[in-house]
Amino acid sequence: MYLYHNTENDLVINVEQIHFRQQVIQAFKERFSTYGYHEIYTPAFEAYDLYAHLNGTVNQEEMIKTIDNTGKVLVLRPDITIPITKLISNSNQQLREDLRYFYIQNVFRQPQEQTDYREKTQAGVEYFGNTSPEADAEIITLAIHLMRDMKVDQFKIELGHAAFFDQIVNEMNLAKDDLEALQQAIQAKNITEIEDILAKITVEDDIKEILTSLPFLYGEPKQVIERASALPLTEALQATLQNIRNIYDVLVSYGVSEHIVVDLSLINHMDYYSDMIFQGFIDKVGKPILMGGRYNTLANEFKANIPAIGFAFDMDLVLEGVSPNAL
């Protein structure tokens, strides 16, 4: 985005864009610091085994691998949450106080449909030790304040919950192909496809009613929660819905609810997310510029019991959507 080759194959540097990028990154760092977050770094190279045994996180086919001079397989950092969680877990089996960290680092992945690798900058936070709705709301409010700092008015957070879909499908014992097809249909909000999939499998009427309702459970938080409450929810689903209601109530008290919509069809994009999940959008960009959620069980992989929540902004997308006149 900032460096490119012209027809003479000479490197051309857009000085203004680089300066703007530095300004945005500095503004992010200052906002992170005002919330009490401390900067943290992770190595550019990590052991392949760190990611290989965590199924459902980073696609192993997208990781960029190399071999060091001892024969050990390494990968260029494809994710930042996992190594930070490992770092904290190695020092603490449990926490006696909350820990807040932020990072601005590059991640490296090679999508299967591309021959060249992609390097992108992420700016994010990880908040360890606090499981309260206030902690969840703090993370979302921080993201909103960052966008306000960038003078972005039309910014929306879609708030969902990883457990809402997981609790439903766990009772269905679906084959992998059926589960993936159902996930895709729900994400696309394709009612006909959802009904076709459910018609081919044995499913209870109550579960069918909830699943076919999911695409409609999107919009103004109070209305969505009210519509969801009228469905034949299990006690576990009722508790999950209450968790979303509690988080939203705190966001209202923080004065940021105008930026919040609830989407109960939001599907967990990383298996380590266990509870609240969210993604953020701005008008000028057609993809999520922000993704995050609560991951209370990831530290268990490193023999620790440390709940956490975090998010990451895709800084390249942020820079596409933010006006250079904002700073």
Side-chain angles (χ1 to χ4, degrees), residues 33 35-36 59 92 99 103 114 129 132 136 202 210 237 240 257 267 277 295 306:
S33 296
Y35 269 71
N59 186 337
N92 310 270
L99 298 176
Y103 58 84
Q114 297 181 11
S132 69
D136 293 350
T202 302
I210 296 169
L237 287 171
T240 296
S257 59
I267 301 294
I277 52 177
Y295 52 99
I306 304 174

Side-chain angles (χ1 to χ4, degrees), residues 71-105:
K72 185 178 182 180
V73 180
L74 304 175
V75 294
L76 274 170
R77 179 179 52 232
D79 179 88
I80 301 177
T81 296
I82 293 171
I84 290 180
T85 302
K86 179 186 176 185
L87 181 65
I88 301 305
S89 300
N90 287 345
S91 303
N92 310 270
Q93 287 189 325
Q94 291 184 322
L95 291 181
R96 297 181 180 177
E97 61 180 357
D98 296 349
L99 298 176
R100 293 176 173 88
Y101 295 103
F102 80 84
Y103 58 84
I104 300 179
Q105 293 187 287

Side-chain angles (χ1 to χ4, degrees), residues 35-275:
Y35 269 71
Y37 288 76
H38 302 283
E39 192 162 10
I40 193 170
Y41 296 91
T42 65
F45 289 95
E46 293 278 4
Y48 171 75
D49 291 345
L50 173 63
Y51 301 94
H53 79 282
L54 293 175
N55 294 324
T57 56
V58 181
N59 186 337
Q60 296 180 24
E61 298 301 319
E62 294 184 359
M63 293 191 290
I64 302 170
K65 308 172 188 70
T66 188
I67 299 176
D68 68 11
N69 58 7
T70 69
K72 185 178 182 180
V73 180
L74 304 175
V75 294
L76 274 170
R77 179 179 52 232
D79 179 88
I80 301 177
T81 296
I82 293 171
I84 290 180
T85 302
K86 179 186 176 185
L87 181 65
I88 301 305
S89 300
N90 287 345
S91 303
N92 310 270
Q93 287 189 325
Q94 291 184 322
L95 291 181
R96 297 181 180 177
E97 61 180 357
D98 296 349
L99 298 176
R100 293 176 173 88
Y101 295 103
F102 80 84
Y103 58 84
I104 300 179
Q105 293 187 287
N106 290 353
V107 294
F108 306 84
R109 297 185 190 178
Q110 183 174 1
Q112 293 178 317
E113 67 276 7
Q114 297 181 11
T115 56
D116 58 338
Y117 71 84
R118 184 180 178 193
E119 174 183 359
K120 62 181 180 180
T121 303
Q122 289 186 350
V125 296
E126 312 291 353
Y127 182 4
F128 295 93
N130 192 330
T131 60
S132 69
E134 287 76 14
D136 293 350
E138 175 187 307
I139 286 285
I140 294 175
T141 303
L142 170 54
I144 291 171
H145 281 160
L146 283 164
M147 288 298 94
R148 288 180 176 177
D149 291 342
M150 299 295 107
K151 306 297 189 296
V152 176
D153 296 323
Q154 300 302 315
F155 178 61
K156 288 295 181 185
I157 295 280
E158 295 181 350
L159 174 62
H161 203 293
F164 200 84
F165 179 76
D166 290 346
Q167 287 165 349
I168 298 170
V169 297
N170 285 345
E171 299 181 13
M172 298 172 64
N173 296 317
L174 292 176
K176 182 179 179 181
D177 290 345
D178 290 333
L179 175 59
E180 290 177 353
L182 184 59
Q183 287 177 322
Q184 292 173 3
I186 289 173
Q187 286 179 309
K189 301 187 187 300
N190 188 329
I191 305 300
T192 301
E193 183 68 19
I194 295 171
E195 291 176 342
D196 288 345
I197 294 169
L198 296 178
K200 299 174 185 177
I201 59 179
T202 302
V203 56
E204 295 180 8
D205 289 342
D206 285 354
I207 293 178
K208 183 180 293 187
E209 181 181 354
I210 296 169
L211 287 172
T212 54
S213 299
L214 283 181
F216 302 103
L217 297 177
Y218 174 90
E220 197 280 325
K222 290 184 178 179
Q223 294 179 7
V224 172
I225 292 170
E226 182 178 350
R227 292 201 300 271
S229 298
L231 294 171
L233 303 181
T234 63
E235 289 187 8
L237 287 171
Q238 290 174 13
T240 296
L241 188 63
Q242 183 60 47
N243 181 234
I244 294 175
R245 181 185 288 113
N246 293 342
I247 295 167
Y248 178 69
D249 287 344
V250 179
L251 290 168
V252 171
S253 69
Y254 287 171
V256 296
S257 59
E258 66 187 278
H259 298 282
I260 306 299
V261 296
V262 167
D263 184 2
L264 294 181
S265 68
L266 197 59
I267 301 294
N268 185 7
H269 61 278
M270 282 288 199
D271 279 1
Y272 56 64
Y273 287 131
S274 59
D275 294 78

